[in-house]
Amino acid sequence: VDFYRRNGDTTRLVDSYLLMATYFHWKNRSDKVISTLDSGYIKAELWKDTTKMINFLNAKAEYFNNKRDYNNTVATIKEILKLSDKNNSTQYSHLLYTLGLYLSLSGNNSYDEYYKRSIDMVLKSGDSATACEYMRNYSGSLSGDHKYIESNALLYKIKKIDPEIGSLSAIQMSMAENYLNLHKLDSARICLNNASESEKKLQGEGYTDFARKGSLEMLKYI
């Protein structure tokens, strides 16, 4: 940083703040990580370099996430959204989705709005696979919030959009778990049978997963 400052190399000077923050992270100097990233952000802001400003905010969000400081992660992602190009649907929808996810982790019920906006954006762009991924995690947030009916409604929507993804054991197990929580055991059993069939197919294709199989057996036992 000192070298680039002396030589007036503004591009490398800004980038070196990211490197220095990483160094402090390695050294467990938490107090220095954020102050270094803030210093770099101020430099990038002075030179009106939006891309680098976003890079510093991304680094902050990642740092807060690693510390499981979800409130500060949320606040930082909101700052990134203010600087981001709304016309870049791929990037912007992912930010909205990420914000919904971390709002859910922080216990903030406003996650609904951001999940829905992100899903709408990717569906309009024709990216059904990403939409299904977002809906699956949205359903997980709803389930964690004891909204089992709403969670299953999303999982059924995934199956409608893409029957192959909707039939996967992971989706069927999530549905079964929601039905168990709703005390609808017949419906849960149907989903678990579907999950077992999916596992057989996945195993035949070489996609065995012992953690997934363990979850299936646990749900069957319940």
Side-chain angles (χ1 to χ4, degrees):
V1 169
D2 290 339
F3 175 81
Y4 293 131
R5 187 184 289 123
R6 285 197 305 271
N7 287 275
D9 190 333
T10 55
T11 301
R12 290 190 176 89
L13 172 62
V14 173
D15 290 339
S16 64
Y17 278 102
L18 286 170
L19 182 60
M20 188 160 69
T22 304
Y23 167 77
F24 285 130
H25 185 52
W26 290 338
K27 301 293 285 184
N28 292 318
R29 293 288 306 278
S30 300
D31 57 321
K32 286 285 192 178
V33 174
I34 298 302
S35 63
T36 301
L37 290 173
D38 285 341
S39 296
Y41 179 88
I42 290 167
K43 292 289 185 187
E45 190 176 32
L46 284 171
W47 293 313
K48 295 180 172 58
D49 192 329
T50 306
T51 300
K52 291 192 185 299
M53 288 165 69
I54 290 173
N55 288 344
F56 282 108
L57 291 172
N58 276 325
K60 279 181 74 172
E62 185 178 349
Y63 178 77
F64 287 134
N65 178 39
N66 288 335
K67 294 288 183 182
R68 296 187 178 182
D69 182 352
Y70 299 129
N71 286 325
N72 273 319
T73 305
V74 164
T76 308
I77 294 171
K78 284 182 177 179
E79 289 300 312
I80 297 171
L81 273 170
K82 290 177 186 175
L83 297 171
S84 298
D85 181 5
K86 291 183 180 180
N87 294 318
N88 186 336
S89 61
T90 302
Q91 183 187 68
Y92 202 78
S93 62
H94 185 70
L95 281 170
L96 290 170
Y97 158 75
T98 306
L99 184 53
L101 178 64
Y102 286 114
L103 281 166
S104 172
L105 289 169
S106 67
N108 189 321
N109 288 330
S110 66
Y111 63 78
D112 268 303
E113 174 196 346
Y114 297 99
Y115 272 131
K116 287 174 180 174
R117 286 173 62 192
S118 68
I119 292 164
D120 286 343
M121 282 190 80
V122 291
L123 282 174
K124 282 177 183 174
S125 70
D127 188 352
S128 58
T130 300
C132 289
E133 179 192 344
Y134 289 0
M135 282 190 278
R136 182 187 169 190
N137 286 301
Y138 181 16
S139 77
S141 294
L142 289 167
S143 179
D145 214 12
H146 311 296
K147 296 177 180 177
Y148 307 119
I149 294 172
E150 295 91 333
S151 175
N152 261 359
L154 267 175
L155 295 173
Y156 276 111
K157 192 173 181 180
I158 290 173
K159 193 167 184 180
K160 189 175 180 181
I161 292 170
D162 191 321
E164 188 175 351
I165 292 176
S167 298
L168 288 173
S169 57
I171 301 291
Q172 291 297 312
M173 281 192 282
S174 294
M175 291 171 72
E177 190 170 351
N178 283 332
Y179 279 129
L180 282 169
N181 283 309
L182 291 166
H183 306 290
K184 293 186 176 182
L185 303 186
D186 288 339
S187 296
R189 188 177 290 110
I190 291 168
C191 291
L192 290 175
N193 288 339
N194 291 339
S196 295
E197 289 302 313
S198 173
E199 278 301 314
K200 286 178 188 175
K201 184 179 178 183
L202 290 168
Q203 187 174 357
E205 294 170 354
Y207 295 109
T208 302
D209 186 294
F210 291 111
R212 199 172 57 233
K213 286 181 72 177
S215 296
L216 178 56
E217 292 307 314
M218 180 190 71
L219 286 168
K220 284 181 179 178
Y221 179 77
I222 293 169

